[in-house]
Amino acid sequence: MTSLQKAPGPSDLVEERSRGTFPVRNMTHFLDGSAKQTAIREKIMLQLERDPVWAVSDSHDLTLQQIRERSMAKVRRAAHFVANESMALFKLRMELISVVDPGTWTRIGVHYGLFFGALRGGATPEQFSYWAQKGAVTLNGMVGCFAMTEIGHGSNVAGLETTATYDEMSDEFVIHTPSLTATKWWIGGAAQTATHSVVFAQMIIKGKNYGVKNFIVQLRDTETFENLPGIVIGDIGAKMGRHGTDNGYIQFTHVRIPRSYMLMKHTKVNRRGEVKEPPLQQLTYGALIQGRVAMVVDSGAIAKKALTIAIRYAAIRRQFGASAGKPETKIIDYVIHQYRLMPLLAQAFAMHFTGIEVNRMYEELMDSMETLQPGDKGLGEVLEKLKEMHGTSAGLKAFSTWSTLNIIDQCRQACGGHGYSAYTGLASLYSDFAVHCTWEGDNTILSLQGGRYLIGCYREAKAGKKQAGGVAYLNNMDALLTKRCGAKSLADVSRLEVIEEAFWLVSAHVVKKAGEDFEAGVKKGLKEDESYEACSQARLLATKIHSIGYLFHRFKGALVRAPEDLKPILTRLCLLYGFYAIAENSGPFLQYGYFTPQQMDWIREAVTALCRDVRLDAIPLTDSFNYSDFMLNSPFGRADGDIYTAYFAAVQKAHKPGAVPSYFAKEIYPLLHRKLEEDDILELDEEDEE
Amino acid sequence: MTSLQKAPGPSDLVEERSRGTFPVRNMTHFLDGSAKQTAIREKIMLQLERDPVWAVSDSHDLTLQQIRERSMAKVRRAAHFVANESMALFKLRMELISVVDPGTWTRIGVHYGLFFGALRGGATPEQFSYWAQKGAVTLNGMVGCFAMTEIGHGSNVAGLETTATYDEMSDEFVIHTPSLTATKWWIGGAAQTATHSVVFAQMIIKGKNYGVKNFIVQLRDTETFENLPGIVIGDIGAKMGRHGTDNGYIQFTHVRIPRSYMLMKHTKVNRRGEVKEPPLQQLTYGALIQGRVAMVVDSGAIAKKALTIAIRYAAIRRQFGASAGKPETKIIDYVIHQYRLMPLLAQAFAMHFTGIEVNRMYEELMDSMETLQPGDKGLGEVLEKLKEMHGTSAGLKAFSTWSTLNIIDQCRQACGGHGYSAYTGLASLYSDFAVHCTWEGDNTILSLQGGRYLIGCYREAKAGKKQAGGVAYLNNMDALLTKRCGAKSLADVSRLEVIEEAFWLVSAHVVKKAGEDFEAGVKKGLKEDESYEACSQARLLATKIHSIGYLFHRFKGALVRAPEDLKPILTRLCLLYGFYAIAENSGPFLQYGYFTPQQMDWIREAVTALCRDVRLDAIPLTDSFNYSDFMLNSPFGRADGDIYTAYFAAVQKAHKPGAVPSYFAKEIYPLLHRKLEEDDILELDEEDEE
């Protein structure tokens, strides 16, 4: 092969790696938690890679039904591991499965996260063991799905229309879909996987509606897979992504189930139709948070995948620049390309550390909740923590998933034309990931919930109640609000403490603004809900700034625990994340006067300089994420940098060169060989008329 | 059908329409240009709708090959019209085809835009009539593609590797792909449509490289469609969107073509291999701008489609709110939902009017260029206009396509869970549209070009050369830069003139900053190119603010021409666009001191109030876009509002309810009926060892 130019490729990455300023393996261990954790992750990755069931290299050229069938085979494999490994290990396996195949992650998650979670959270011990015996743990005998959403009803669970009417005569509940809009919709696993379902329905007993409760309903015959009488299940058809998951709809027409199939850990119904409501309603919501935490963790994991692909490509791809005769310039060496990718790389680290922290908080909270009994001494404290977890995780879920969706698309665009190829993997990563912004709490609604929580904290703090955790900055607000950055130079401004204080101050201001708007509404005579509604925009901004700051603070917190040899690069990344976040949201930082216009110019300069610094370690940093080529499934992200050869080979393998399209005779030949209309003109002999 | 709640549906839109404050039909005429233009558009829409070839209702459930085949049939139809209608009419037809099927738009555009454009711009009259006779106008005989990009080379056309070496002996050029990275890649229409190609290649004569020129090369036998000897064409496989377009790769191995197949309108090569370069190099770039202008127009058209779907859905969908027993609240009535969609609706109007204006400028420029001869008196003026058109269209293409990509995704997210369904149409709209941000000039690179142009204007203005058109604000900069908004109240600030001045001032500041950064670099001893590179971030910001302001100014300009009965609503939209743009980019507006923090709070209040006002007309405004249900192809965008019925019917039609998956026996039955591993344990008899 002769070439007019130096062909870019493997040697470029070798050179990049030789220039790294930190020990890559140590970074991997630090990110994973320990060398032992890294070893476990690598074991799972190798298992996935070698198992033909998980083969992904041809994933871009499969039909929907092929994807579904393969995905089902993966569900079977997952069931094997669930029965044979610890919960912690299975959680880690799932985290990695999400990186390789988000559609299958969801298909497995529908049973083990949603269905099984509902069972664990809602079943009495005897109910739980009944369903466990039927196969709810191991899938031998049943697979569950989670029928909450209806075609006309989503976020507002209380507004669902499906009914479960108690028939005292037979001691049964009658499950019914009363209208088109009540059709259970978007039910993952319903179309082609599940035999059973948790059904959310309005419980009606003796004409009284007790609100939405959960019922287990068998959907299909486990021998024939046919819909049971009274049940109609259909496929809801093509969707944006996660093609491995089979979403369906379900309509129930007077379907009878035993009373004991209602999940009764909390609300109980006896033989006479008497209802006993639970003493501690709040504790039933704990399970909701699990999904949010998982999505914060997933946001970091997926961002790292996207960035590995885009950054490795940027270090290989050459374009423009340099002098005649010399090879073109690597695109990663352009100021603007560094500005496109390096801050996002820093953001991925911030999300990674936040994910670890939030996961830890969640595990601790769950431990205390599971051992807790009504009347316990520590109850107040746990409820306080639950409130914080609920409010914080709402905002974090929203802004982490939005951030990662943005990162994926920025990475795709940064790959130029090749970013539009399915083989790059970023287009499907985007389509697969996008639903995180919507399900288990639409991001906008969650942000507003987060804002409501912050307003509550603000009002408590104002009333003298000390705030803890991520909102502690609301405690000494008066002193905080008037602080100013005193930095007199770029060097002076470039400190983590400056960024930290800036976020505390601006967060306090935007939360205060939201709180004041709310209080002004109430004073004007609005009801509480109306006043919250009126200050929605301020609530959204408060949650946004608070959440971005929260990520920064977690990143800064992680620095303290970092080994010495990693501190310099992690500090640069942390500074870059903080300054970039400030520069991108410069409005409030100027509006509340923490920074002067001059300081803001320095911050922009600092971002450029930090991008240049971080760029030097860009390839080692992607290496430290430790995703194997199999996990990345993208020729553009290959660790060896031989991207063009790999890409060309992949395309050639999937499509035979020189093929004549099947519709040539039908659609192309007649076009090329047609007789033009103007060749055949009927000319009237109109001379007589003249 | 009984229902626990009032089923949302058609009556809601009837009510919405009854409340509109402006005559919808007049707005349609104004947007289209005249009542006559509206009639023509409606005629084309009806033609498309009734032609079975254009059927789109099942488009979400087709395989790639089915899409390709159908798309080819549409190409045939388009060829018919090209031969029988005016250029203006065909352009309008294409604009509407893009709304219905962007993939086919591209497949047609590859021939009629790219191949034919290259012929028109590059062929001598005798060459043009030769290729016209071969079928270049009517497609009977040939279909062309445009082989510019290579797998290793995109934006930097000068760096392409393919060679065209002149063989004096035979009077032929030899076209050759010298390396893997030189493989022509991403070539639209190459995989399954084209018989011929324009090939971009380095022209080498007697060992000397004259740079990249264009050559016509036949690729396939028109009788058999087989690749001609020396040519290998392959499919580059799955991509993110525009599935109707068949992108391919081409490798040439010493393929010979007559010398006369080189396009010689500009550079000429004679029989002896002597090269004559064109006197006016710049005029050859005019054609490049056409694609950009088309994309600005397309951005408006597609934004209107996405918004029609999301806004109509928002007026039907109900969720939360209201008191017990009453229907839930329409999501369009929430402050935050208005904030999500109404500013984007205003932005779509801004893009629409900008598209019209830019298109007009382009047509005028082309007219003057076509009649122009070297040495003409008006030459200087035309070149000046060409420069402005080039610089302005670069930034507008970038920020219009980015804005519309954002609008589509915001619309999708605003549809909640249903936004993730393919049937909503927004997922594919996104995937199809996304490539606009990359091709015919990557947006980031174009933004930097735009910034370079603005720096040039700034330096000219500083040197006393008067600037015209969109950069006239650079003329009296000293007086402008220190202006401050004097508004003392929300009412006072809410004027178009305030927004206009704000954009002039802030644009001037960011352009000046970029110019100063550039000059500082040069002073430090950097070469021009290096200095431009160093101030990339400032250039990008300058183009961004200038382009957003440009859209505002065009919108404000259109108001003047608007009929009186449309002025009130258009003014509200124009104010909303302006204020929203300022609020979203509040940093520079505060940094350069035009607005005080207090005024910025008023602006945010004004945005909320304007969102509420515009929301009242939201449905009539989507009606005024005048897209038929066929054009929208989304149950959620239906004009009659009967969205759930239509959605359910579409899904049921595509998928038979109750179907058992084809892989049940292979993958599901064995899972459900497997014997668990723990049932079969080999216990060692280890007593002996104890």
Side-chain angles (χ1 to χ4, degrees):
Chain A
M1 189 172 84
T2 50
S3 171
L4 294 182
Q5 310 207 2
K6 181 184 172 239
S11 61
D12 285 315
L13 289 196
V14 173
E15 185 199 337
E16 291 282 346
R17 290 187 173 110
S18 72
R19 291 195 307 208
T21 68
F22 67 94
V24 171
R25 197 64 182 164
N26 292 7
M27 181 69 90
T28 303
H29 295 161
F30 181 59
L31 291 175
D32 292 345
S34 67
K36 196 180 147 203
Q37 277 300 108
T38 298
I40 294 173
R41 291 173 71 97
E42 289 178 345
K43 200 171 101 182
I44 297 175
M45 287 195 281
L46 190 64
Q47 260 174 355
L48 291 170
E49 180 170 351
R50 288 190 178 161
D51 186 345
V53 159
W54 283 95
V56 286
S57 66
D58 59 352
S59 61
H60 307 299
D61 296 292
L62 301 175
T63 64
L64 182 60
Q65 285 313 310
Q66 287 172 322
I67 295 171
R68 292 264 187 91
E69 178 169 344
R70 287 206 190 175
S71 174
M72 191 67 216
K74 298 175 197 176
V75 173
R76 282 175 69 189
R77 278 290 201 277
H80 164 82
F81 286 106
V82 140
N84 295 287
E85 72 191 8
S86 73
M87 200 58 208
L89 205 56
F90 187 67
K91 219 167 150 178
L92 188 56
R93 183 178 301 277
M94 285 294 282
E95 199 187 310
L96 291 163
I97 284 175
S98 169
V99 175
V100 144
D101 181 348
T104 297
W105 182 70
T106 301
R107 198 165 180 176
I108 301 169
V110 162
H111 178 89
Y112 284 113
L114 297 178
F115 179 87
F116 194 72
L119 216 54
R120 252 194 2 172
T124 65
E126 58 189 328
Q127 287 181 323
F128 186 83
S129 65
Y130 174 82
W131 292 110
Q133 220 162 359
K134 288 247 180 190
V137 182
T138 53
L139 303 190
N140 65 322
M142 68 181 290
V143 184
C145 67
F146 189 78
M148 184 169 77
T149 324
E150 295 169 0
I151 191 173
H153 309 276
S155 296
N156 181 17
V157 173
L160 295 172
E161 291 181 69
T162 303
T163 52
T165 310
Y166 183 54
D167 175 9
E168 274 182 273
M169 295 284 286
S170 60
D171 196 20
E172 289 170 331
F173 277 106
V174 181
I175 310 293
H176 186 59
T177 303
S179 68
L180 173 63
T181 47
T183 306
K184 292 293 176 187
W185 204 265
W186 275 113
I187 312 307
Q192 302 189 331
T193 317
T195 59
H196 290 66
S197 181
V198 169
V199 178
F200 283 60
Q202 304 281 354
M203 183 172 78
I204 295 167
I205 301 183
K206 299 176 193 169
K208 182 177 170 189
N209 187 338
Y210 287 86
V212 171
K213 312 291 172 200
N214 294 355
F215 305 83
I216 307 286
V217 183
Q218 182 167 352
L219 303 173
R220 288 182 166 101
D221 183 317
T222 56
E223 287 296 325
T224 64
F225 221 60
E226 284 170 342
N227 298 344
L228 290 186
I231 292 172
V232 175
I233 307 176
D235 194 319
I236 69 159
K239 53 193 203 291
M240 184 172 179
R242 304 212 173 219
H243 303 302
T245 301
D246 50 313
N247 295 76
Y249 65 84
I250 314 174
Q251 291 181 323
F252 302 95
T253 310
H254 303 294
V255 174
R256 290 177 168 267
I257 56 167
R259 173 174 54 92
S260 56
Y261 280 19
M262 174 199 160
L263 296 182
M264 294 206 201
K265 186 176 181 178
H266 305 291
T267 303
K268 294 180 203 315
V269 178
N270 67 17
R271 179 65 186 88
R272 293 179 302 281
E274 291 158 351
V275 180
K276 202 173 140 203
E277 298 279 7
L280 258 178
Q281 200 83 38
Q282 291 138 307
L283 291 182
T284 65
Y285 298 126
L288 270 180
I289 301 173
Q290 187 186 357
R292 298 184 191 168
V293 172
M295 279 187 263
V296 174
V297 172
D298 199 45
S299 295
I302 298 296
K304 288 187 287 184
K305 177 174 180 173
L307 286 158
T308 302
I309 296 169
I311 291 173
R312 287 183 179 163
Y313 177 67
I316 302 290
R317 179 71 170 189
R318 291 168 178 274
Q319 195 163 272
F320 291 113
S323 24
K326 293 223 177 130
E328 295 175 292
T329 304
K330 288 180 186 178
I331 58 175
I332 201 175
D333 283 322
Y334 288 101
V335 168
I336 208 70
H337 212 77
Q338 291 167 11
Y339 188 76
R340 286 170 91 172
L341 292 178
M342 296 305 119
L344 305 181
L345 181 59
Q347 192 177 29
F349 275 87
M351 288 197 288
H352 176 91
F353 292 122
T354 304
I356 290 175
E357 181 68 13
V358 172
N359 200 42
R360 192 190 53 72
M361 277 169 63
Y362 171 73
E363 301 275 359
E364 277 178 22
L365 180 66
M366 286 301 110
D367 284 351
S368 12
M369 276 174 61
E370 282 196 1
T371 56
L372 201 71
Q373 292 299 323
D376 271 12
K377 258 190 4 179
L379 181 65
E381 200 189 326
V382 170
L383 288 182
E384 204 60 35
K385 281 204 172 153
L386 180 62
K387 205 181 79 182
E388 186 193 345
M389 190 74 215
H390 201 265
T392 308
S393 67
L396 286 179
K397 183 271 193 185
F399 286 94
S400 300
T401 56
W402 270 333
S403 297
T404 293
L405 194 65
N406 175 58
I407 287 175
I408 298 168
D409 205 52
Q410 294 306 317
C411 284
R412 184 186 62 72
Q413 290 194 39
C415 290
H418 293 319
Y420 205 67
S421 167
Y423 292 79
T424 311
L426 292 167
S428 59
L429 203 62
Y430 184 91
S431 304
D432 288 341
F433 191 85
V435 72
H436 272 353
C437 300
T438 302
W439 63 12
E440 302 199 31
D442 172 83
N443 278 1
T444 301
I445 295 177
L446 287 185
S447 302
L448 292 177
Q449 277 181 18
R452 204 166 171 139
Y453 161 72
L454 291 171
I455 289 176
C457 296
Y458 160 77
R459 300 182 72 202
E460 282 183 5
K462 217 176 64 166
K465 187 174 168 197
K466 201 164 149 45
Q467 300 298 301
V471 287
Y473 62 83
L474 295 172
N475 287 327
N476 41 3
M477 213 153 27
D478 289 340
L480 178 64
L481 290 174
T482 53
K483 286 199 175 162
R484 295 294 174 260
C485 175
K488 301 267 180 277
S489 69
L490 197 159
D492 210 12
V493 94
S494 300
R495 291 178 300 118
L496 293 172
E497 293 69 29
V498 169
I499 303 173
E500 185 173 49
E501 190 173 83
F503 269 106
W504 282 337
L505 177 131
V506 174
S507 301
H509 269 289
V510 291
V511 171
K512 179 166 172 270
K513 175 87 170 75
E516 287 174 351
D517 284 4
F518 168 75
E519 289 177 347
V522 172
K523 247 180 226 153
K524 272 199 298 188
L526 295 182
K527 285 182 208 156
E528 276 222 348
D529 274 355
E530 291 168 351
S531 190
Y532 274 122
E533 164 62 13
C535 69
S536 294
Q537 216 182 305
R539 274 198 282 163
L540 196 68
L541 184 64
T543 309
K544 182 180 178 185
I545 300 290
H546 171 81
S547 299
I548 297 173
Y550 193 93
L551 260 77
F552 174 79
H553 301 311
R554 296 293 86 65
F555 195 167
K556 184 164 175 284
L559 282 184
V560 181
R561 301 189 305 272
E564 285 307 316
D565 52 8
L566 300 177
K567 274 188 179 160
I569 178 64
L570 285 171
T571 303
R572 285 195 287 277
L573 286 163
C574 191
L575 279 168
L576 178 54
Y577 172 65
F579 278 142
Y580 177 74
I582 290 170
E584 287 292 292
N585 298 280
S586 61
F589 288 85
L590 290 162
Q591 177 154 8
Y592 296 113
Y594 187 74
F595 292 117
T596 64
Q598 169 66 70
Q599 288 166 340
M600 195 54 79
D601 275 340
W602 288 334
I603 287 174
R604 288 186 210 281
E605 278 181 53
V607 170
T608 307
L610 284 161
C611 283
R612 198 171 48 225
D613 288 351
V614 168
R615 175 262 170 276
L616 295 175
D617 280 314
I619 294 299
L621 285 168
T622 63
D623 289 348
S624 79
F625 295 154
N626 203 29
Y627 286 139
S628 62
D629 282 349
F630 166 78
M631 297 290 289
L632 297 170
N633 191 28
S634 169
F636 296 89
R638 283 175 69 93
D640 70 5
D642 198 8
I643 62 175
Y644 295 113
T645 313
Y647 179 30
F648 190 56
V651 164
Q652 273 195 315
K653 193 174 162 197
H655 304 277
K656 192 175 164 291
V660 173
S662 57
Y663 53 85
F664 170 65
K666 185 167 168 238
E667 297 293 352
I668 302 176
Y669 189 90
L671 170 72
L672 293 173
H673 299 274
R674 79 191 193 282
K675 211 176 152 188
L676 284 186
E677 286 95 350
E678 44 275 41
D679 294 345
D680 177 25
I681 292 170
L682 169 62
E683 287 194 41
L684 292 178
D685 181 10
E686 290 168 321
E687 276 170 33
D688 297 5
E689 292 173 30
E690 275 171 56
Chain B
M1 189 173 86
T2 51
S3 171
L4 295 182
Q5 311 205 0
K6 184 186 170 236
S11 61
D12 285 315
L13 288 196
V14 173
E15 185 199 336
E16 291 283 345
R17 289 187 175 110
S18 72
R19 290 196 306 210
T21 69
F22 68 95
V24 171
R25 197 65 181 164
N26 292 9
M27 181 68 90
T28 303
H29 296 161
F30 181 60
L31 292 174
D32 291 344
S34 67
K36 195 179 147 203
Q37 278 300 109
T38 299
I40 295 173
R41 290 172 71 98
E42 288 177 346
K43 199 172 103 182
I44 298 175
M45 286 195 280
L46 191 63
Q47 259 174 357
L48 292 170
E49 180 170 352
R50 288 191 178 161
D51 187 344
V53 159
W54 283 94
V56 287
S57 65
D58 59 351
S59 61
H60 308 300
D61 295 291
L62 301 174
T63 65
L64 182 60
Q65 285 313 312
Q66 286 172 323
I67 295 171
R68 293 262 186 90
E69 177 169 343
R70 287 206 191 175
S71 174
M72 191 65 217
K74 298 175 197 177
V75 173
R76 283 175 68 190
R77 279 292 199 275
H80 164 83
F81 287 106
V82 140
N84 295 287
E85 72 190 7
S86 73
M87 199 58 206
L89 205 56
F90 187 67
K91 217 168 152 180
L92 189 57
R93 184 179 298 277
M94 285 295 281
E95 199 187 310
L96 290 164
I97 285 175
S98 169
V99 175
V100 145
D101 181 349
T104 297
W105 182 70
T106 301
R107 198 164 180 177
I108 301 168
V110 162
H111 178 90
Y112 283 112
L114 298 178
F115 179 87
F116 194 72
L119 217 53
R120 250 188 10 165
T124 65
E126 56 190 329
Q127 287 182 322
F128 186 83
S129 65
Y130 174 83
W131 292 111
Q133 222 162 358
K134 288 248 178 190
V137 183
T138 53
L139 304 190
N140 63 323
M142 67 181 291
V143 184
C145 65
F146 189 79
M148 182 169 79
T149 323
E150 296 170 357
I151 191 172
H153 309 276
S155 296
N156 183 16
V157 174
L160 294 172
E161 291 180 70
T162 302
T163 52
T165 310
Y166 184 55
D167 176 8
E168 273 182 274
M169 297 283 287
S170 61
D171 195 20
E172 290 170 329
F173 279 107
V174 181
I175 310 293
H176 185 59
T177 303
S179 67
L180 173 63
T181 47
T183 306
K184 292 292 177 189
W185 203 264
W186 274 113
I187 312 308
Q192 303 191 329
T193 317
T195 59
H196 289 67
S197 181
V198 169
V199 178
F200 282 60
Q202 305 280 355
M203 183 172 78
I204 295 167
I205 300 182
K206 299 177 191 169
K208 182 178 168 189
N209 187 339
Y210 288 86
V212 171
K213 311 291 172 202
N214 293 355
F215 305 82
I216 308 284
V217 183
Q218 182 168 351
L219 303 174
R220 289 183 166 101
D221 183 317
T222 57
E223 287 295 326
T224 64
F225 221 60
E226 283 168 345
N227 299 344
L228 290 186
I231 292 172
V232 176
I233 306 175
D235 195 321
I236 69 158
K239 53 194 202 293
M240 184 172 178
R242 305 214 172 216
H243 303 302
T245 301
D246 51 313
N247 295 76
Y249 65 85
I250 315 174
Q251 290 181 324
F252 302 95
T253 310
H254 304 293
V255 173
R256 289 176 169 267
I257 56 169
R259 174 173 54 89
S260 56
Y261 280 19
M262 175 198 161
L263 297 183
M264 295 206 200
K265 184 174 182 180
H266 306 292
T267 303
K268 295 181 202 315
V269 178
N270 68 17
R271 180 64 187 91
R272 295 181 301 280
E274 291 158 352
V275 179
K276 203 173 138 205
E277 298 279 7
L280 258 179
Q281 199 83 38
Q282 290 137 308
L283 291 183
T284 65
Y285 299 126
L288 270 181
I289 300 173
Q290 187 185 357
R292 296 183 192 168
V293 172
M295 278 188 263
V296 174
V297 173
D298 199 45
S299 296
I302 298 296
K304 288 187 286 184
K305 177 174 180 172
L307 286 158
T308 303
I309 296 169
I311 291 173
R312 287 183 178 165
Y313 177 68
I316 302 289
R317 179 71 170 190
R318 291 168 178 274
Q319 196 163 271
F320 291 113
S323 25
K326 294 221 179 135
E328 295 174 292
T329 304
K330 288 181 184 177
I331 58 176
I332 200 176
D333 283 323
Y334 288 100
V335 168
I336 209 70
H337 212 76
Q338 291 168 10
Y339 188 75
R340 287 170 90 171
L341 293 177
M342 297 305 117
L344 305 181
L345 181 59
Q347 192 177 29
F349 275 87
M351 289 197 287
H352 176 89
F353 293 121
T354 304
I356 290 176
E357 182 69 12
V358 173
N359 199 44
R360 193 191 51 72
M361 280 169 62
Y362 171 74
E363 301 277 358
E364 277 178 24
L365 180 65
M366 286 302 109
D367 284 352
S368 14
M369 277 175 60
E370 284 197 359
T371 57
L372 202 70
Q373 292 297 325
D376 271 11
K377 257 190 4 179
L379 181 65
E381 200 189 325
V382 170
L383 288 181
E384 203 61 35
K385 282 206 174 150
L386 181 62
K387 205 181 80 181
E388 187 193 344
M389 190 75 215
H390 202 266
T392 307
S393 66
L396 286 179
K397 184 270 193 184
F399 286 95
S400 300
T401 55
W402 271 332
S403 296
T404 293
L405 194 66
N406 175 57
I407 287 175
I408 299 169
D409 205 53
Q410 294 305 318
C411 284
R412 186 186 62 71
Q413 289 193 40
C415 290
H418 293 320
Y420 205 67
S421 167
Y423 292 79
T424 311
L426 293 167
S428 59
L429 202 63
Y430 185 91
S431 304
D432 288 341
F433 192 86
V435 73
H436 272 353
C437 300
T438 302
W439 63 14
E440 299 197 35
D442 172 83
N443 277 2
T444 301
I445 295 177
L446 286 184
S447 302
L448 292 178
Q449 276 181 18
R452 204 165 171 141
Y453 162 72
L454 291 171
I455 289 175
C457 296
Y458 160 78
R459 300 183 72 203
E460 283 183 6
K462 217 177 62 167
K465 186 171 168 201
K466 203 164 145 51
Q467 300 300 301
V471 289
Y473 62 83
L474 295 172
N475 286 328
N476 41 3
M477 215 157 21
D478 288 341
L480 178 63
L481 291 174
T482 53
K483 285 201 176 160
R484 295 294 174 261
C485 175
K488 300 269 181 279
S489 68
L490 196 158
D492 209 12
V493 93
S494 300
R495 290 178 301 117
L496 293 172
E497 293 70 28
V498 169
I499 302 173
E500 186 173 48
E501 190 174 83
F503 268 106
W504 281 336
L505 177 130
V506 174
S507 300
H509 269 289
V510 291
V511 171
K512 179 167 172 267
K513 174 87 170 73
E516 288 175 350
D517 284 4
F518 168 74
E519 289 177 346
V522 173
K523 247 180 226 153
K524 270 197 300 188
L526 295 182
K527 285 183 208 153
E528 277 222 349
D529 274 355
E530 291 168 350
S531 191
Y532 275 123
E533 164 60 14
C535 70
S536 294
Q537 216 182 305
R539 273 199 283 163
L540 195 68
L541 184 64
T543 310
K544 180 180 177 184
I545 300 291
H546 171 81
S547 299
I548 296 173
Y550 193 93
L551 260 77
F552 174 79
H553 301 311
R554 296 292 84 65
F555 195 167
K556 183 163 175 287
L559 281 185
V560 181
R561 303 190 303 274
E564 285 307 315
D565 53 8
L566 300 177
K567 274 189 180 159
I569 178 66
L570 286 171
T571 304
R572 286 195 287 277
L573 286 163
C574 191
L575 280 167
L576 177 55
Y577 172 64
F579 279 144
Y580 177 74
I582 290 170
E584 287 290 292
N585 298 281
S586 60
F589 288 86
L590 290 162
Q591 177 155 9
Y592 295 114
Y594 186 74
F595 292 117
T596 64
Q598 168 68 69
Q599 288 166 340
M600 195 53 80
D601 275 340
W602 288 334
I603 287 174
R604 286 185 211 282
E605 278 180 54
V607 170
T608 306
L610 284 160
C611 283
R612 200 171 45 225
D613 288 351
V614 168
R615 175 260 170 275
L616 294 176
D617 280 314
I619 293 299
L621 286 167
T622 63
D623 289 348
S624 78
F625 295 153
N626 204 28
Y627 285 140
S628 62
D629 283 349
F630 166 78
M631 298 290 290
L632 296 170
N633 191 27
S634 168
F636 295 90
R638 282 175 72 93
D640 69 4
D642 199 7
I643 62 177
Y644 295 113
T645 312
Y647 179 30
F648 189 55
V651 164
Q652 272 193 315
K653 195 175 161 196
H655 305 277
K656 190 175 165 292
V660 173
S662 57
Y663 53 84
F664 171 65
K666 184 167 168 238
E667 296 294 352
I668 303 176
Y669 190 90
L671 171 72
L672 293 173
H673 299 274
R674 80 193 193 280
K675 210 176 152 190
L676 286 186
E677 287 96 350
E678 43 273 43
D679 295 342
D680 178 27
I681 293 171
L682 169 62
E683 287 194 43
L684 292 177
D685 181 11
E686 291 169 321
E687 278 171 32
D688 297 6
E689 292 173 28
E690 277 172 55

